[in-house]
Amino acid sequence: MGMQAASAAAAASLSFIYSLKWGAPNSAQIFVTPSNKLPLKTNATHFPCPKFTNNKVKTRATLGEKDDIAPPTPLLVQEKEQSNREVEESVKILKKAAKTRKVAAAEILSALSVIEKAKIDYSGFLETLGGSESPGRTWMLIFTAEKKLKSGRYFPVTAVQRFDAAAKRIENGVYLSPIGCLTFEGRFSWKKRMLAFIFERVRIKIGPLKPLEIFFGQKDNREPSTVSKDPFFVWFYIDEEIAVARGRAGGTAFWCRCRRVTTSYSL
């Protein structure tokens, strides 16, 4: 009886091991025949038990640790970088147009649209536009566009504006050499990126004749304001070479920096 019990136990162990490795055995796969003469010999196989610890499997970076992969650039940063690139390309287009006057109007209008929509720091606009001391800086009008940038064209005659940031003076002239020139002069105010102005007098010069100066008769010395009916410019972009602004009527224009007019009929 003892030998039969041992044989039965060995058969059960072999069946359990077989089930771990190949699946549960059936009656046709394992045959155990007890013998009264010799004990059943088996080669014991030991399977180490897996060791479990309290450490959880790490599936993501923990707080304070750095991943090997750089984090993605935030969407707002991407949009700002894209906007900066578009502004840079648009400025290049306008500068090329100012130098060659051969850039298509549609391309200029598209560049102006990009610049108008961009949020550009205007803190240094006034000094760049009018300098730090009198008589200021002069700018030549290159291109004018209708309201909402529906259409536009290169300005056909020589028109130059002078802005004196130190004295807060503005001068706007149209020059038709050798016929003469027509100029307006007045004062301006600056608030954020808005320049409001009032013309006080006009000068007319025809050929070799002495200039004719006419005052508009405004007795008040009030500061020009965008709240009143005074004309104004809203500036979208100004650097050392070009400037972009929209007028009170809604039209947009851009200028390029130029030397001050010094002809015999200059201001």
Side-chain angles (χ1 to χ4, degrees):
M1 292 294 294
M3 185 65 68
Q4 292 179 354
S7 298
S13 299
L14 183 60
S15 177
F16 174 73
I17 294 171
Y18 188 96
S19 67
L20 288 178
K21 192 171 183 181
W22 293 283
N26 53 41
S27 57
Q29 291 175 322
I30 298 178
F31 300 92
V32 180
T33 304
S35 174
N36 295 328
K37 296 182 179 179
L38 296 176
L40 180 65
K41 294 182 179 182
T42 61
N43 294 325
T45 303
H46 299 280
F47 294 88
C49 296
K51 295 181 179 180
F52 297 95
T53 63
N54 292 328
N55 297 330
K56 295 182 178 180
V57 177
K58 184 177 180 181
T59 59
R60 65 183 65 183
T62 57
L63 184 63
E65 294 183 354
K66 296 182 178 180
D67 291 332
D68 294 335
I69 302 175
T73 305
L75 181 59
L76 291 178
V77 175
Q78 294 179 12
E79 292 178 350
K80 184 177 181 180
E81 292 176 350
Q82 177 66 22
S83 176
N84 291 340
R85 286 193 295 269
E86 291 177 352
V87 170
E88 290 176 1
E89 291 299 319
S90 298
V91 169
K92 289 180 181 179
I93 291 172
L94 297 186
K95 290 182 177 181
K96 182 180 178 181
K99 293 178 181 179
T100 66
R101 288 181 173 261
K102 293 182 179 180
V103 178
E107 195 172 355
I108 295 175
L109 293 172
S110 178
L112 292 175
S113 177
V114 170
I115 292 174
E116 282 190 359
K117 294 176 182 177
K119 297 179 180 179
I120 300 173
D121 180 18
Y122 54 80
S123 58
F125 277 9
L126 178 57
E127 184 174 353
T128 306
L129 180 69
S132 57
E133 57 185 29
S134 298
R137 294 179 173 180
T138 51
W139 301 79
M140 181 181 292
L141 183 60
I142 302 297
F143 188 93
T144 58
E146 294 182 2
K147 190 175 182 180
K148 296 183 179 181
L149 302 175
K150 293 181 179 180
S151 62
R153 64 172 182 167
Y154 289 97
F155 203 70
V157 297
T158 301
V160 176
Q161 287 184 303
R162 179 174 63 88
F163 300 95
D164 186 347
K168 297 292 181 67
R169 302 293 294 177
I170 180 174
E171 199 171 60
N172 187 11
V174 177
Y175 300 88
L176 304 171
S177 177
I179 300 175
C181 66
L182 176 67
T183 61
F184 297 84
E185 185 181 350
R187 62 187 184 275
F188 74 80
S189 65
W190 180 274
K191 185 177 182 181
K192 294 184 178 180
R193 57 176 181 157
M194 301 182 72
L195 185 151
F197 57 94
I198 298 174
F199 285 131
E200 302 167 337
R201 59 185 176 182
V202 58
R203 290 191 183 98
I204 304 173
K205 179 73 169 68
I206 301 176
L209 300 179
K210 185 179 179 179
L212 174 64
E213 188 173 89
I214 302 173
F215 289 87
F216 294 140
Q218 293 184 4
K219 298 181 179 180
D220 62 330
N221 293 321
R222 67 179 179 83
E223 185 178 72
S225 172
T226 57
V227 178
S228 60
K229 296 181 180 180
D230 298 332
F232 62 82
F233 290 118
V234 180
W235 298 90
F236 296 102
Y237 183 87
I238 305 175
D239 66 14
E240 294 294 335
E241 297 181 54
I242 67 168
V244 179
R246 181 192 298 156
R248 185 184 184 95
T252 302
F254 89 89
W255 296 255
C256 75
R257 180 88 176 275
C258 68
R259 295 180 180 180
R260 189 182 181 193
V261 179
T262 57
T263 63
S264 59
Y265 52 85
S266 63
L267 305 181

